[in-house]
Amino acid sequence: MIDRRTLLAYGAVLPLVGSGSSAARAAEQAARDQAKADYTLRIATGLAELAPDHIVSTTMYNGQFPGPLLRFKEGQRTVVDVYNDTDTPELVHWHGQMIPTEVDGAAEEGTPYIPPRGMRRIAFAPKPAGFRFYHTHVVAGDDLNRGTYTGQVGPVYIEPKNEPGAYDREVFLVLKEFEPSFSRGGDMAMNFLSGEPIKELQDIGKKADDEAKEKTKGYEVGYDLFSINGKMLGHGEPIRVKQGERVLFHVLNGSAGEIRSLALPGHTFKVVAMDGNPVPTPRDVPLLWLGTAERISAIVEMNHPGVWVMGDLADDDRNRGMGIVVEYAGAKGKPQWAKPKSYKWDYTLFGKPGAAPANPDETMEFTIVKHNAALNGFNQWTLNDKAFSMKTMKPTYTIHQGRRYRLKFRNASDDIHPLHLHRHSFELVKVGGKPTAGVIKDVVMLGGFQECEFDFVADNPGMTLFHCHQQLHMDFGFMFLFDYA
Ligand SMILES: [Cu+2]
């Protein structure tokens, strides 16, 4: 395939398109590689105006937050030029795509850095279709001006070959906090996931607490300012809707480590896709929960006229910006918020009823333990007693192409972990004690003292990174690498 612009520019030197010979394909490829990039991303520090009296300095893509919405075509080779106008090496990770390690954007897998004051041209065939995103993948450690604490987040939409049309328009929402700072102890919502804590895991956690040399909790990260699409509640343009309209929201939690919720008073969300993948059973739910880096695509039928706050359930966070106004045509007045009834988030509701996943070829089990303040005041994370070494970046497990792997995670900590696998999707098998099938994701929240299981097929050779998507957890041990045999 070749797009019209490239054809116009290079038509004179190109052999006949469609001749199908490998020489023709190579020439076409070369022409495309020399052509102007399809997209240019420029990483630089700039100012984001969250509100007139809240202008923050952060690192962004193309001088804007969120980064530009990149629309790709599934399988159509795309060239992206990435310029790094900062003084430190950068990486752009194409989250949720099945692409080679060379371009995936993780140093642990061997992706080259974009040098400071330098650039890198990358090319890949975007896949699979659906709602993905891009973000920096550098280690932040104790530097809150690095990594996903900055504004380096942007949405990606990979157009499928056939788009389902049961909605009138699309709205992309990127949820993001700014002005991070360290504190001891957090106030993150904990009890919204379905399932019960497991006694044995609590005991392991307690033992680790008792054995910790430091008798204090490690640092957590809190935030002063909150935004949707880079604007604090009340400061951006409202989402203007008409009665009867069906709006497809593509919601991205672009946080460095927070879990977010979203509700629109008087309305329900019909969840049609998770992490960009259609769910087997679309369902109406009163509110959404998204772990760090999770995406939900949900249709809202606008059938409750008024001026509303669509916002986070946490009053503090919403009052400091985590919301956006939804305004019906002709409606007037101050935006209204109403706290929804509590609702347990259960991934298995969206699964295929009565179905079971294929049997795995191999099962791997991991127990996750938190070691309080073990690393200069930061919590250290171990999986089966091992913390990932950023120095050696050695792969821990060998996998074989074509095999189906079941990963079972046992969380002996009270934190919720958004578990993420690079360059592959996985199928949820068991969450919160409930078996399921058919829900395909790339991030899943694992509840405190709970277990979850998912399967993936080793179908994209090369180093493959697994980690918790909380920047603070991944930077302090919660990571490992698969290598293909
Ligand atoms: Cu974590």
Side-chain angles (χ1 to χ4, degrees), residues 30 57 59 105 109 113 141 192 222 251 257 305 319 338 378 380 394 424 451 473 482:
S57 172
T59 309
E109 294 173 341
Y113 283 97
F192 63 90
V251 188
N319 292 336
F378 290 91
Q380 184 180 43
K394 281 229 168 68
H424 299 74
E451 294 178 343
H473 297 182
F482 289 112

Side-chain angles (χ1 to χ4, degrees), residues 121-270:
R121 168 167 284 195
I122 57 174
F124 56 91
K127 67 172 184 175
F131 184 24
R132 317 281 161 208
F133 78 117
Y134 58 106
H135 63 83
T136 177
H137 210 283
V138 298
V139 177
D142 62 1
D143 185 351
L144 296 179
N145 291 311
R146 286 280 277 161
T148 53
Y149 301 116
T150 69
Q152 291 175 77
V153 172
V156 165
Y157 195 80
I158 304 176
E159 317 267 357
K161 290 180 183 110
N162 300 298
E163 185 77 81
Y167 60 90
D168 299 307
R169 68 189 170 106
E170 288 177 305
V171 174
F172 286 80
L173 301 177
V174 179
L175 282 44
K176 181 74 175 170
E177 308 78 9
F178 288 93
E179 300 296 76
S181 59
F182 288 117
S183 62
R184 298 272 184 185
D187 57 354
M188 203 179 277
M190 287 295 172
N191 56 359
F192 63 90
L193 286 174
S194 70
E196 295 301 320
I198 296 167
K199 173 79 168 53
E200 190 201 342
L201 294 172
Q202 288 173 319
D203 292 344
I204 298 171
K206 186 172 183 310
K207 189 162 165 278
D209 285 354
D210 292 344
E211 286 171 3
K213 288 194 198 77
E214 303 292 331
K215 295 300 167 203
T216 170
K217 285 188 188 301
Y219 294 115
E220 300 290 344
V221 177
Y223 301 87
D224 280 347
L225 302 175
F226 298 76
S227 70
I228 293 185
N229 291 350
K231 294 291 176 192
M232 292 171 70
L233 174 59
H235 292 285
E237 286 295 302
I239 300 168
R240 295 192 175 86
V241 301
K242 290 196 273 289
Q243 186 161 5
E245 213 174 10
R246 288 159 305 174
V247 179
L248 173 56
F249 287 99
H250 293 295
V251 188
L252 160 65
N253 179 349
S255 179
E258 297 279 288
I259 293 159
R260 299 262 60 108
S261 54
L262 200 65
L264 178 60
H267 298 76
T268 56
F269 296 88
K270 184 186 275 299

Side-chain angles (χ1 to χ4, degrees), residues 318-468:
R318 195 182 59 256
N319 292 336
R320 285 181 289 158
M322 192 52 82
I324 189 166
V325 174
V326 173
E327 187 182 292
Y328 278 72
K332 289 207 170 49
K334 205 168 161 282
Q336 302 295 309
W337 168 255
K339 190 182 161 71
K341 274 190 239 148
S342 73
Y343 176 79
K344 292 271 184 186
W345 188 245
D346 182 353
Y347 290 110
T348 69
L349 285 178
F350 309 101
K352 199 170 180 183
N359 286 327
D361 298 304
E362 202 178 313
T363 299
M364 298 181 182
E365 194 175 293
F366 304 88
T367 302
I368 300 156
V369 175
K370 173 164 69 178
H371 306 273
N372 282 329
L375 293 170
N376 300 321
F378 290 91
N379 297 326
Q380 184 180 43
W381 294 90
T382 56
L383 282 84
N384 296 348
D385 301 321
K386 283 193 281 284
F388 186 73
S389 165
M390 289 290 181
K391 287 208 180 83
T392 61
M393 296 204 290
K394 281 229 168 68
T396 320
Y397 305 96
T398 301
I399 52 176
H400 298 261
Q401 191 167 359
R403 298 192 84 179
R404 185 180 176 95
Y405 292 89
R406 180 157 299 170
L407 306 186
K408 177 175 180 179
F409 292 94
R410 311 174 71 227
N411 182 7
S413 76
D414 55 356
D415 300 63
I416 294 171
H417 301 291
L419 307 177
H420 173 48
L421 184 65
H422 279 231
R423 303 173 57 253
H424 299 74
S425 299
F426 50 75
E427 180 178 4
L428 298 184
V429 168
K430 201 172 190 187
V431 191
K434 280 164 85 174
T436 187
V439 176
I440 309 295
K441 294 183 69 29
D442 52 60
V443 181
V444 62
M445 281 183 280
L446 167 58
F449 303 119
Q450 290 198 19
E451 294 178 343
C452 84
E453 295 175 36
F454 59 74
D455 287 4
F456 77 100
V457 175
D459 57 2
N460 192 11
M463 293 277 212
T464 298
L465 191 62
F466 166 87
H467 62 89
C468 175

